[in-house]
């Protein structure tokens, strides 16, 4: 993820039009202190051949991640196959990762669910399991009704009750829904909303978010290497702090999580099986992926 940070001098701002302000409480001050600059790979969830979570392989991956100077890890992002995990599995994976993190590395845990109530409950469990912040995807099943009003209400209720800072997550390739710009700008004023991870790849939009939140301590995270350099330039021109994104678009955008897991195996990590209904790559897809890696000098 690429962090593009705009500094804020005020504790809170009034909501445009309604002049609503959120009171900063002691539990919300962490959002202002937590700096997300740095590399945060969104880790995969390894499964056994029977599609059980393979905690042993996960821990072995974590030992290898520990040798790389990441700022932290994203757990239960899109690459973690979180929609296919039970609530208990999602929490246990976060707990397992937390126990292996050393040196003050941050853990950002995905806690998004379809309902506000379920998201609040899971967020509280993720915080108890050790998450330093939560990454919350837009609810999307009723995407025709998920306008700015609904999404502002959803994220505001969550942020009001979350014991850890919240990072908004817009990933339209998976949800079919982009978090509206006006909603991002309004939600950026909440003292417990730390920033937004935008995986849409629209640099104009990312630039607008940075510009419209430049008076605030709001961090913009770009979720693909496909627009790393452009996002870096947006951050540089805005006199903001930047970091490096997490994943190469060749894998996840082209062939998805099955390709990511295959690539992990080639590079000495445990990818493991996917959980159904995701299927492994076909032989032709695997050969194409290998050719792509080879042509770029990675294999």
């Amino acid at each position: 993820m690429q962090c593009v940070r705009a500094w804020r001098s005020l504790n809170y701002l009034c909501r445009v039009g309604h002049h609503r302000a959120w009171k900063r409480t002691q539990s919300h001050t962490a959002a202002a202190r937590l700096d997300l600059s740095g590399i945060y790979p969104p880790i995969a969830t390894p499964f056994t051949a029977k599609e059980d979570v393979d905690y042993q392989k996960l821990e072995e991956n974590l030992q290898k991640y520990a040798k790389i100077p990441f700022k932290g890890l994203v757990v239960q992002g899109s690459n973690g196959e979180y929609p296919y995990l039970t609530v208990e599995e999602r929490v246990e994976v976060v707990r397992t990762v937390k126990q292996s993190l050393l040196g003050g590395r941050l853990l950002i845990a995905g806690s998004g669910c379809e309902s506000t109530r379920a998201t609040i409950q899971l967020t509280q469990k993720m915080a108890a399991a050790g998450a330093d912040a939560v990454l919350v995807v837009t609810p999307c099943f009723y995407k025709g009704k998920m306008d700015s009003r609904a999404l502002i209400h959803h994220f505001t209720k969550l942020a009001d009750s979350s014991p850890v800072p919240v990072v908004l997550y817009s990933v339209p390739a998976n949800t079919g829904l982009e978090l509206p710009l006006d909603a991002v700008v309004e939600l950026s004023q909440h003292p417990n909303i730390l920033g937004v991870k935008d995986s849409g790849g629209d640099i104009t939009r990312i630039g607008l978010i940075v510009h419209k939140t430049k008076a605030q301590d709001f961090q913009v995270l770009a979720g693909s290497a496909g627009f790393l350099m452009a996002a870096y330039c947006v951050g540089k021109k805005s006199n903001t702090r930047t970091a490096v994104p997490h994943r190469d678009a060749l894998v996840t955008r082209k062939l998805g999580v099955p390709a990511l897991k295959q690539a992990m195996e080639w590079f000495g990590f445990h990818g493991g099986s996917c959980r159904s209904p995701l299927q492994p790559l076909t032989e032709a897809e695997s050969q194409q992926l290998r050719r792509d890696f080879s042509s770029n000098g990675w294999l």
Side-chain angles (χ1 to χ4, degrees), residues 41 43-44 46 54-68 70 72-75 92-102 105 107 264 269-270:
I43 66 173
D54 195 332
Y55 292 101
Q56 179 180 346
K57 298 299 186 185
L58 174 61
E59 291 177 352
E60 291 176 7
N61 282 344
L62 292 169
Q63 292 173 10
K64 295 180 179 181
Y65 294 140
K67 299 175 182 179
I68 306 172
F70 295 132
L73 300 176
V74 173
V75 187
E92 185 59 30
V93 167
V94 168
R95 185 177 292 111
T96 300
V97 174
K98 184 65 175 182
Q99 291 171 350
S100 296
L101 280 182
L102 301 174
R105 296 187 179 192
L107 193 164
M264 289 177 67
F269 291 84
H270 299 295

Side-chain angles (χ1 to χ4, degrees), residues 48-228:
T48 67
K50 295 183 178 180
E51 299 190 7
D52 296 321
V53 176
D54 195 332
Y55 292 101
Q56 179 180 346
K57 298 299 186 185
L58 174 61
E59 291 177 352
E60 291 176 7
N61 282 344
L62 292 169
Q63 292 173 10
K64 295 180 179 181
Y65 294 140
K67 299 175 182 179
I68 306 172
F70 295 132
K71 178 70 175 295
L73 300 176
V74 173
V75 187
Q76 301 309 309
S78 300
N79 288 341
E81 296 177 71
Y82 76 88
Y84 297 161
L85 301 183
T86 66
V87 169
E88 292 75 19
E89 288 173 330
R90 292 181 70 176
V91 175
E92 185 59 30
V93 167
V94 168
R95 185 177 292 111
T96 300
V97 174
K98 184 65 175 182
Q99 291 171 350
S100 296
L101 280 182
L102 301 174
R105 296 187 179 192
L106 299 178
L107 193 164
I108 304 175
S111 65
C113 301
E114 281 300 303
S115 76
T116 305
R117 180 186 180 93
T119 303
I120 290 172
Q121 291 173 348
L122 183 55
T123 294
Q124 292 170 344
K125 292 178 181 178
M126 291 302 197
D132 297 294
V134 289
L135 180 68
V136 185
V137 70
T138 51
C140 61
F141 187 82
Y142 299 107
K143 59 178 175 288
K145 299 298 294 183
M146 292 297 102
D147 56 11
S148 292
R149 183 172 68 97
L151 292 171
I152 289 171
H153 180 265
H154 172 75
F155 284 110
T156 298
K157 287 196 68 175
L158 168 64
D160 284 346
S161 63
S162 175
V164 294
V166 173
V167 178
L168 313 174
Y169 185 20
S170 180
V171 54
N174 288 358
T175 63
L177 173 70
E178 187 168 66
L179 185 59
L181 178 61
D182 66 306
V184 175
V185 173
E186 178 161 338
L187 289 167
S188 72
Q189 301 170 28
H190 195 293
N192 203 33
I193 294 181
L194 188 62
V196 58
K197 177 186 175 184
D198 193 309
S199 294
D202 185 339
I203 295 301
T204 300
R205 170 185 160 88
I206 290 175
L208 283 172
I209 293 174
V210 172
H211 174 71
K212 290 179 178 291
T213 62
K214 64 183 179 181
Q216 303 169 49
D217 187 7
F218 190 71
Q219 303 175 63
V220 182
L221 306 153
S224 175
F227 46 94
L228 165 62

